[in-house]
């Protein structure tokens, strides 16, 4: 297959972000013959993957997590490790010969003066003009912390989960992990296995927990199958599977959720895939406590009024998309700061502006980004092809009119 981009007059498509979503879009655009330039603010692709904690593995299978045009090596195993994912992304960029510019951060995107192209304000005063823009800055972009009273004056050891790498610095210490999503659950289990003297997990909303794999059948496969089924049916199926496959941890402070699994997913909360938390809670290695309400000097105050004095607090409280400075002025974000559209659809107010990687479906984020990449690339190629045909038609029309004028002049 020819990997040489076709020559297109005009401006390139700019892809903001050199993570999996951005690389996938750039590669599929290249296959469509459209020049794409990836702008990455760090010094290498896959920056967020490089900064994740050491024990992280994909919760989706290797075969269902590959990006378009390059399988993930079988030697990486079924559940790909963080370091191997970084290697894969580097290889992906090389194999597809992607045009990537590192060390460039885009601060604002707006319409160019021609009303059709896009103007990007970037590092060092750069002003870049693109025929289209794909925003792929990542789901986990900016660490989010609740507005806890007293946090500014807290004297204990406090860190967001984005700074956590491994349990070594916490050996022999009393650690409170705040937040029972996938990150908090995995960090708590990692600490319990890695030598922390005591690990407590603060839970505000009881999570749905699923086995990553059951009898060789990955939870991701089930997530793909049930996506289009009625919500109530999937909720009932999820409750039944939970009772069959998972122990009741109510006496350990972790009761079964009173809301449906898929109902929760539709609200944006994916289930926790168990990679050690259930056993850690069952054996008492991880203790469940109530939600954090505030901080008081060296104490953490919980919702029930109890006060803890851990040696360290790790806040696994999620991330913000961080899109407001970039595109907030364009009216393309919802009330939570996420894009109103994704994939091949563009906002009505901003045709030519695409988003990928800002959803976290139970079918797998990487799988959906790979699918979105092809849809985005085809949409852009069609649009640019149509524009090119219109421009060529316009030029021919002008030439034809000039020719007629010339003939009329000779007749006179």
């Amino acid at each position: 297959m020819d990997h040489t981009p076709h020559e297109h007059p005009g401006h390139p498509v700019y892809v903001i972000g050199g993570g999996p979503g951005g690389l996938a879009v750039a590669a599929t655009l290249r296959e469509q013959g459209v020049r794409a330039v990836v702008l990455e603010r760090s010094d290498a692709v896959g920056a967020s993957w490089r900064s994740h904690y050491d024990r992280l593995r994909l919760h989706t299978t290797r075969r269902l997590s590959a990006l378009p045009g390059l399988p993930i090596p079988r030697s990486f195993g079924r559940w790909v490790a963080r370091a191997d994912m970084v290697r894969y992304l580097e290889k992906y960029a090389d194999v597809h010969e992607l045009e990537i510019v590192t060390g460039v951060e885009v601060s604002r995107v707006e319409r160019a003066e021609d009303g059709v192209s896009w103007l990007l304000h970037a590092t060092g005063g750069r002003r870049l003009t693109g025929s289209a823009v794909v925003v792929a800055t990542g789901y986990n972009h900016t660490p989010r912390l609740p507005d806890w009273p007293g946090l500014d004056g807290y004297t204990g050891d406090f860190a967001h989960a984005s700074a956590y790498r491994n349990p070594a610095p916490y050996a022999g210490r009393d650690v409170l992990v705040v937040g029972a999503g996938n990150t908090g659950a995995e960090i708590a289990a990692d600490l319990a296995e890695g030598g922390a003297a005591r690990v407590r997990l603060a839970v505000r909303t009881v999570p749905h927990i699923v086995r990553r794999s059951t009898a060789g059948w990955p939870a991701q496969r089930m997530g793909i199958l049930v996506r289009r089924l009625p919500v109530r049916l999937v909720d009932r199926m999820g409750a039944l599977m939970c009772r069959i496959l998972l122990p009741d941890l109510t006496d350990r402070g972790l009761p079964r959720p009173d809301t449906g699994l898929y109902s929760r997913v539709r609200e944006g909360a994916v289930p926790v895939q168990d990679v050690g938390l259930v056993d850690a809670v069952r054996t008492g290695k991880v203790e469940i406590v109530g939600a954090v309400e505030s901080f008081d000097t060296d104490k953490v105050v919980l919702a029930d009024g109890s006060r803890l004095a851990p040696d360290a607090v790790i806040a696994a409280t999620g991330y913000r998309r961080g899109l407001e400075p970039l595109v907030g002025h364009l009216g393309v974000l919802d009330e939570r700061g996420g894009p109103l559209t994704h994939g091949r659809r563009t906002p009505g107010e901003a045709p030519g502006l695409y988003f990928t990687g800002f959803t976290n479906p139970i079918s797998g984020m990487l799988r959906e980004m790979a699918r979105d990449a092809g849809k985005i690339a085809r949409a852009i190629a069609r649009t640019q092809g149509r524009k090119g045909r219109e421009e060529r038609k316009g030029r021919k029309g002008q030439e034809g009119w000039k020719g007629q004028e010339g003939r009329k002049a000779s007749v006179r």
Side-chain angles (χ1 to χ4, degrees), residues 171-254:
R173 304 178 73 190
D174 179 346
V175 186
L176 173 67
V177 180
V178 185
N182 274 294
T183 298
E186 191 156 353
I187 288 177
D190 196 32
L191 289 165
E193 296 169 10
R198 185 178 189 181
V199 181
R200 285 174 283 197
L201 179 62
V203 178
R204 182 174 298 278
T205 302
V206 178
H208 282 276
I209 302 176
V210 298
R211 295 290 189 190
R212 185 167 65 178
S213 179
T214 303
W217 180 261
Q220 182 187 11
R221 288 281 187 189
M222 184 61 71
I224 294 171
L225 290 176
V226 305
R227 283 193 72 185
R228 301 192 184 281
L229 294 179
V231 174
R232 289 184 180 180
L233 175 60
V234 180
D235 283 348
R236 288 196 292 269
M237 292 169 57
L240 177 62
M241 296 296 289
C242 179
R243 286 196 295 271
I244 294 173
L245 299 175
L246 296 168
D248 186 353
L249 299 173
T250 301
D251 61 342
R252 292 289 185 177
L254 201 60

Side-chain angles (χ1 to χ4, degrees), residues 127-181:
R127 294 165 66 87
L128 310 172
T129 303
S131 59
V133 174
V134 182
V135 180
T137 49
Y139 192 81
N140 297 338
H141 185 270
T142 305
R144 184 185 70 84
L145 288 174
D147 188 19
W148 283 311
L151 179 59
D152 290 344
Y154 181 61
T155 59
D157 186 350
F158 181 93
H160 187 270
S162 58
Y164 178 86
R165 296 294 173 270
N166 57 64
Y170 301 95
R173 304 178 73 190
D174 179 346
V175 186
L176 173 67
V177 180
V178 185

